[in-house]
Amino acid sequence: MNEDTANKPKKLFLSGNEAIARGVAQAGCRVASAYPGTPSTEILENIAKFRDTVNCEWAVNEKVAMETAIGASIGGARSFCAMKHVGLNVAMDPLMTFCYVGATGGMVFVSADDPGMHSSQNEQDNRNLAKFARIPILEPSDSQEAYDFAQKAFEISEQFRVPVMIRMTTRTSHSSSLVDLGDFDPKPRDLIPYKKDIRRTIPVPAFSRLQRVDAQARTKAMREAAEKSPFNRVEAGEDGRSKFGFVTSAVAYQYVKEIFPDFPILKLGWTNPLPIRMIEEFSRTVENLVVVEELDPFMEDQIKAAGIKVASHETELNIWELNADRIQNLRSELLGDVPKVVPPAPAADLPRRPPTLCAGCGHRAVFYVLHRLGAVVNGDIGCYTLGANPPLNAMDTTICMGASVNLTAGMKKAGMKGRICSVLGDSTFFHSGLTGALSAWYNGTPVTTIVLDNRITAMTGQQDNPGTGRTLCGDPAPVTEIDEVVKAMGYKRVSKVSCDDLAGLEKTLAEAMDSNEPALVVAYAPCRIAAKLTKEGLVETDPAVCKACGKCFQLGCPAITRGEQVGPNRFRMKVDPSLCSGCRQCRQVCPFGAIKKVR
Amino acid sequence: MKTVNVSLVGVGGQGIILTADMLAKAAALAGYEVKKSEIHGMSQRGGSVTSQVRFGSKVCSPIVQVGRSDTLVAFDRLEAIRNAAELAPDGKAVVANVDLVPITVSSGQQQALPDIDARLREALPNVLLVDAMKIAVEEVGNERTMNMVLAGALSKTLPIDEKYWIEAMHELLAGRKAKLIPANEKAFALGRAAV
């Protein structure tokens, strides 16, 4: 096949996120905004490649991103925003009313769900939220569909004057396949001229009651459109068997197609409102209807509620990420013609390789000090959540973006004694730590907020934010200093201390927690990856001086390794030069001065 | 044709994603349908990394079923043992003779495997051990080309012509990285010769 297929039109090999970005640009979108969040981050990074046609930016949070897209839509432009699943929780407030007000220019957003929680704090099926908002859902199953659906989504949005949600998942966002871009030529569409219409755009009760009625009628009309959409189609099985027929969507379709090629499939790309009539007709052509979808029984419950019989089975499919193995287990149960797949448990004695804070990361110094101070630490969402792991063991809670500040406030209000603090990153502070800091100041709650200021949104892969001095497109931007922000709120106890100074950190953090006033400490150290400081210097241990006391091991630095054994469970320290970044942390921890700077 | 499955495993920072990209591009250039999958959530270094590539006349699932990988490429021996169950009974394992010490061992939380050599042979009896790091350092003079040595070894196990691999490499290293092409080509050729 190699030679005769080599001359076919060239397709691009794109991840789902790269394909979405190109679809958005090709649709003539003028405005795009997002806050980074795995697995959605690369969408805006790729839209930035088309900055000449799409005015794109990092917002400080998802609510800001969605409201910016809403403003652009009402202003007559096609607009877009993207977020990870938990980001939609933050953006739900504007969404739940914009779905009444309605889009002028097409407004589309991506919710990138994370089944299996590869890099998230929870697992949520955001199709429920789009249904709650009575808006259409499109679910691509590969990169080609991501490109095609993104374009069609804008048309649907304008046709029904509603925002449209594209539901991606970690697998569709981060897997790559070939995409035919067609005549790819992104150009911004002309603005639809703005006409003031407050009966639509100001949903006071008298107006919104009418819009509520419209929303009801619109759901019917959208369902009719979904019934006829080419995104929803029946695929016959390879040998025409009809004992089972499958209703499926998104990447789950790929697994069903792989494992059940011999059975008919109703492949749904437009899943809200659900094309119930199409499903009912399909169900009459098969003996047993089986629904396979990733996460909640979103379609299955609606199909059952419509009175359509769905075959029951014991194979659990409504938790974690699906894969072909799990669908093979379904086949094993339904047909018994394939064996069950039981992934072998990894041998218990294999050393694990968990993610760790990088060598020289400034966060480590703060957690080392907080551990020494015996503080209760309310953590947040970022690389620094790793401070909870041994040997640092310096985090007690993590809930969601920005929660750290308010959890401390609640603990203080509840009368909890002892040292308590909040720890969050610069980007997370801008995202939603700011409001909590203001609330604590207003109410006089003695919250100690420690901002791990590394001047980058690090965990999602080094994105810019209001502290970095650069925009999404790499243009210069003003730099916001967090200590100045809280001083403007009125904060009196504000300090800035380098993570390179362990004694200074310990003194400042202890004083802040022991004071009885709201305090904010900026613990400053640039992210070593972002600032290209992973090889800033190198240290080594003098084995003649090292007493094998083990203190340096408490840092949990990947460059600090066990050297010569000098007693039961006592080892001298040996630096791994391939990992050492040359920071000063271990030299300050060593009581004997055994660690020397080499360069 | 039957879909060909390749799993690439190792440690963050070893160049696994780039190698998977090169394989996927080479397969596409050879006219196959191809899908690639990877998980890159927590971006910190030092964690286990897996990428999978599937190619053939029609590819559905972007991920490979357990025990169905035709080739398992491991950039580290411990990761080869950890992922041995990915390999099909008649599959080939291409493993770099490299041992990166996990932080759980260097920090004393867990014991190193005392018999890694025996454990590797037990888990993957027909393993093709490649001195990828040694070749990269001593013969190419650039330890960062270790992934291309493995790519060269991998290429010998797959039905994709060498010219497509080279073309894919040139595409991936276009622009500022173009000066790295000669060293990478040399590493790739040495990898092919090593198996």
Side-chain angles (χ1 to χ4, degrees):
Chain A
M1 78 178 272
N2 299 10
E3 293 308 320
D4 57 78
T5 52
N7 295 324
K8 283 192 174 168
K10 196 172 173 184
K11 295 180 176 183
L12 292 184
F13 188 64
L14 300 175
S15 72
N17 283 349
E18 291 169 328
I20 287 274
R22 281 158 182 80
V24 167
Q26 175 71 357
C29 175
R30 295 179 78 101
V31 176
S33 185
Y35 181 79
T38 311
S40 70
T41 309
E42 301 83 5
I43 299 174
L44 257 280
E45 289 178 326
N46 276 278
I47 288 179
K49 293 176 179 167
F50 308 101
R51 59 176 300 189
D52 293 341
T53 68
V54 190
N55 192 339
C56 51
E57 65 181 23
W58 288 131
V60 297
N61 67 36
E62 294 85 354
K63 180 174 186 287
V64 172
M66 183 166 287
E67 288 161 350
T68 304
I70 288 171
S73 167
I74 294 174
R78 285 193 165 182
S79 67
F80 175 81
C81 60
M83 58 208 72
K84 69 179 293 171
H85 61 312
V86 287
L88 184 55
N89 302 340
V90 179
M92 273 311 272
D93 201 0
L95 179 64
M96 289 305 292
T97 301
F98 183 52
C99 61
Y100 280 34
V101 166
T104 303
M107 196 289 227
V108 175
F109 68 94
V110 163
S111 165
D113 294 2
D114 188 15
M117 294 170 280
H118 293 287
S119 49
S120 304
Q121 65 269 41
N122 74 6
E123 183 175 69
Q124 58 184 55
D125 186 335
N126 278 6
R127 294 179 301 172
N128 295 301
L129 298 186
K131 181 169 183 288
F132 188 37
R134 300 182 180 82
I135 61 171
I137 304 171
L138 302 183
E139 295 191 70
S141 72
D142 61 16
S143 298
Q144 182 70 57
E145 287 189 346
Y147 177 69
D148 296 339
F149 286 17
Q151 295 172 71
K152 183 67 180 175
F154 285 96
E155 288 174 30
I156 295 170
S157 173
E158 285 170 5
Q159 183 184 351
F160 296 100
R161 306 192 76 171
V162 281
V164 173
M165 183 176 103
I166 298 175
R167 189 220 191 192
M168 299 291 281
T169 59
T170 301
R171 200 55 66 180
T172 47
S173 281
H174 284 171
S175 62
S176 303
S177 50
L178 293 166
V179 180
D180 180 353
L181 292 184
D183 298 320
F184 185 66
D185 183 20
K187 287 191 198 78
R189 282 170 76 96
D190 291 341
L191 287 183
I192 298 167
Y194 176 72
K195 275 202 292 262
K196 182 168 171 174
D197 178 10
I198 64 163
R199 291 176 66 86
R200 178 163 82 84
T201 53
I202 300 189
V204 291
F207 297 156
S208 52
R209 284 189 198 112
L210 298 172
Q211 288 164 341
R212 178 67 188 83
V213 174
D214 290 348
Q216 208 72 353
R218 193 172 57 215
T219 299
K220 269 191 179 170
M222 292 190 302
R223 194 183 304 279
E224 281 308 308
E227 298 278 6
K228 297 185 184 79
S229 169
F231 292 173
N232 297 332
R233 62 168 189 266
V234 175
E235 294 180 2
E238 277 167 12
D239 39 13
R241 303 170 76 178
S242 61
K243 186 174 182 200
F244 293 99
F246 295 85
V247 178
T248 186
S249 68
V251 76
Y253 157 77
Q254 304 288 359
Y255 307 137
V256 172
K257 191 80 184 164
E258 177 132 347
I259 301 297
F260 293 96
D262 42 349
F263 289 92
I265 295 172
L266 174 55
K267 195 266 187 213
L268 298 180
W270 183 341
T271 54
N272 194 61
L274 206 56
I276 287 290
R277 205 170 57 237
M278 192 181 221
I279 296 167
E280 205 274 327
E281 282 164 13
F282 177 70
S283 76
R284 279 192 268 117
T285 66
V286 299
E287 288 174 47
N288 298 285
L289 190 72
V290 182
V291 183
V292 179
E293 55 192 320
E294 207 158 45
L295 294 188
D296 293 344
F298 174 83
M299 299 190 292
E300 183 164 348
D301 285 353
Q302 294 183 67
I303 293 168
K304 285 177 177 167
I308 301 166
K309 193 167 183 312
V310 176
S312 58
H313 55 78
E314 298 295 316
T315 308
E316 172 65 83
L317 298 178
N318 295 126
I319 173 177
W320 299 340
E321 190 179 27
L322 294 180
N323 54 43
D325 290 331
R326 295 179 68 184
I327 304 307
Q328 179 171 324
N329 288 344
L330 176 66
R331 181 165 185 132
S332 178
E333 181 192 336
L334 296 179
L335 288 146
D337 58 354
V338 289
K340 266 203 158 30
V341 184
V342 185
D349 64 343
L350 289 187
R352 290 173 296 110
R353 257 189 233 277
T356 42
L357 293 171
C358 301
C361 175
H363 300 350
R364 177 175 288 107
V366 173
F367 290 120
Y368 176 79
V369 166
L370 287 173
H371 182 79
R372 275 172 61 89
L373 292 173
V376 169
V377 180
N378 292 305
D380 224 298
I381 309 289
C383 295
Y384 41 84
T385 313
L386 295 168
N389 293 341
L392 293 165
N393 298 314
M395 194 171 286
D396 293 72
T397 68
T398 302
I399 301 288
C400 64
M401 293 288 285
S404 59
V405 182
N406 309 313
L407 261 65
T408 302
M411 288 177 175
K412 289 283 186 182
K413 293 268 178 202
M416 244 176 91
K417 300 286 178 232
R419 287 168 168 163
I420 310 175
C421 66
S422 310
V423 172
L424 74 174
D426 48 338
S427 192
T428 306
F429 183 83
F430 293 127
H431 179 284
S432 49
L434 223 132
T435 44
L438 181 58
S439 198
W441 173 252
Y442 166 55
N443 290 297
T445 316
V447 173
T448 294
T449 300
I450 304 163
V451 178
L452 300 169
D453 185 0
N454 63 1
R455 295 296 157 131
I456 204 77
T457 308
M459 186 164 76
T460 43
Q462 327 294 323
Q463 285 77 32
D464 284 296
N465 68 48
T468 66
R470 274 182 316 272
T471 66
L472 165 66
C473 295
D475 296 330
V479 174
T480 301
E481 297 292 343
I482 290 168
D483 52 332
E484 299 297 332
V485 170
V486 295
K487 279 181 199 162
M489 289 178 185
Y491 272 67
K492 305 293 177 232
R493 185 177 282 276
V494 180
S495 352
K496 210 167 177 172
V497 53
S498 167
C499 296
D500 241 2
D501 174 10
L502 263 60
L505 266 180
E506 185 159 332
K507 182 167 178 292
T508 310
L509 297 184
E511 283 174 2
M513 284 189 279
D514 295 342
S515 78
N516 202 28
E517 59 182 320
L520 185 129
V521 180
V522 174
Y524 178 77
C527 168
R528 286 188 176 264
I529 295 179
K532 299 193 165 49
L533 294 173
T534 53
K535 292 278 175 257
E536 192 189 16
L538 178 67
V539 302
E540 69 179 22
T541 315
D542 183 345
V545 183
C546 175
K547 303 267 188 283
C549 71
K551 275 207 160 163
C552 55
F553 291 115
Q554 293 306 310
L555 281 167
C557 174
I560 296 177
T561 68
R562 283 182 168 189
E564 180 197 354
Q565 183 158 13
V566 296
N569 225 10
R570 284 184 64 223
F571 297 83
R572 290 197 216 281
M573 188 269 246
K574 186 164 166 283
V575 173
D576 180 342
S578 72
L579 293 174
C580 178
S581 70
C583 82
R584 298 174 59 232
Q585 292 173 25
C586 57
R587 281 186 283 154
Q588 294 172 71
V589 166
C590 178
F592 307 105
I595 306 168
K596 303 266 191 303
K597 193 170 172 61
V598 180
R599 61 163 198 270
Chain B
M1 71 176 275
K2 184 183 161 293
T3 302
V4 178
N5 299 321
V6 181
S7 290
L8 303 101
V9 303
V11 179
Q14 285 190 302
I16 294 153
I17 305 291
L18 184 84
T19 310
D21 283 343
M22 182 168 150
L23 161 58
K25 271 186 192 297
L29 288 167
Y32 295 113
E33 185 180 345
V34 55
K35 287 188 177 175
K36 184 194 73 161
S37 190
E38 68 208 23
I39 294 298
H40 45 89
M42 310 281 273
S43 71
Q44 292 75 23
R45 282 139 187 224
S48 299
V49 171
T50 299
S51 183
Q52 296 184 326
V53 177
R54 309 189 70 209
F55 62 91
S57 43
K58 173 153 179 65
V59 182
C60 294
S61 164
I63 35 183
V64 181
Q65 287 193 258
V66 170
R68 302 276 185 92
S69 292
D70 299 289
T71 308
L72 171 70
V73 189
F75 288 59
D76 172 276
R77 295 201 296 170
L78 175 61
E79 295 310 306
I81 298 168
R82 195 190 312 282
N83 293 285
E86 297 295 331
L87 194 62
D90 56 348
K92 292 195 173 71
V94 176
V95 178
N97 200 359
V98 167
D99 297 316
L100 293 178
V101 182
I103 182 161
T104 47
V105 170
S106 62
S107 66
Q109 295 169 48
Q110 284 185 280
Q111 294 294 317
L113 282 186
D115 47 357
I116 190 158
D117 212 56
R119 287 287 290 271
L120 180 68
R121 306 242 169 233
E122 181 195 328
L124 301 163
N126 299 318
V127 63
L128 294 168
L129 259 188
V130 181
D131 279 325
M133 186 51 101
K134 192 163 177 273
I135 292 170
V137 171
E138 292 177 11
E139 297 186 49
V140 185
N142 182 349
E143 65 173 31
R144 307 278 306 165
T145 62
M146 182 192 105
N147 60 340
M148 286 301 126
V149 179
L150 279 180
L154 164 65
S155 72
K156 289 284 282 283
T157 72
L158 299 176
I160 300 172
D161 195 284
E162 186 181 359
K163 70 183 177 193
Y164 297 121
W165 288 87
I166 300 297
E167 198 177 334
M169 182 198 293
H170 281 247
E171 272 186 33
L172 284 167
L173 298 177
R176 283 209 318 259
K177 291 178 179 165
K179 60 179 188 291
L180 302 171
I181 289 174
N184 279 282
E185 280 189 355
K186 185 174 180 189
F188 185 81
L190 289 166
R192 280 184 72 86
V195 291

PDB file of all heavy atoms in Angstrom, chain A residues 187 338 346 362:
ATOM      1  N   LYS A 187      -9.828  33.487   7.865  1.00  0.00           N
ATOM      2  CA  LYS A 187     -10.066  34.934   7.722  1.00  0.00           C
ATOM      3  C   LYS A 187     -11.123  35.319   8.749  1.00  0.00           C
ATOM      4  O   LYS A 187     -12.092  34.591   8.923  1.00  0.00           O
ATOM      5  CB  LYS A 187     -10.638  35.254   6.330  1.00  0.00           C
ATOM      6  CG  LYS A 187      -9.666  35.150   5.184  1.00  0.00           C
ATOM      7  CD  LYS A 187     -10.313  35.764   3.934  1.00  0.00           C
ATOM      8  CE  LYS A 187      -9.624  35.328   2.662  1.00  0.00           C
ATOM      9  NZ  LYS A 187      -9.984  33.957   2.227  1.00  0.00           N
ATOM     10  N   VAL A 338     -14.780 -13.719  23.238  1.00  0.00           N
ATOM     11  CA  VAL A 338     -13.415 -13.212  23.483  1.00  0.00           C
ATOM     12  C   VAL A 338     -13.126 -13.361  24.973  1.00  0.00           C
ATOM     13  O   VAL A 338     -14.047 -13.341  25.787  1.00  0.00           O
ATOM     14  CB  VAL A 338     -13.260 -11.719  23.080  1.00  0.00           C
ATOM     15  CG1 VAL A 338     -13.281 -11.531  21.583  1.00  0.00           C
ATOM     16  CG2 VAL A 338     -14.335 -10.862  23.752  1.00  0.00           C
ATOM     17  N   PRO A 346       1.134  -4.520  38.529  1.00  0.00           N
ATOM     18  CA  PRO A 346       2.595  -4.411  38.500  1.00  0.00           C
ATOM     19  C   PRO A 346       3.196  -5.019  39.771  1.00  0.00           C
ATOM     20  O   PRO A 346       2.578  -4.962  40.836  1.00  0.00           O
ATOM     21  CB  PRO A 346       2.851  -2.903  38.449  1.00  0.00           C
ATOM     22  CG  PRO A 346       1.569  -2.250  38.857  1.00  0.00           C
ATOM     23  CD  PRO A 346       0.471  -3.218  38.592  1.00  0.00           C
ATOM     24  N   GLY A 362      11.930  26.488  43.903  1.00  0.00           N
ATOM     25  CA  GLY A 362      11.768  27.325  45.088  1.00  0.00           C
ATOM     26  C   GLY A 362      10.640  26.860  45.995  1.00  0.00           C
ATOM     27  O   GLY A 362      10.669  27.076  47.207  1.00  0.00           O
TER      28      GLY A 362
END
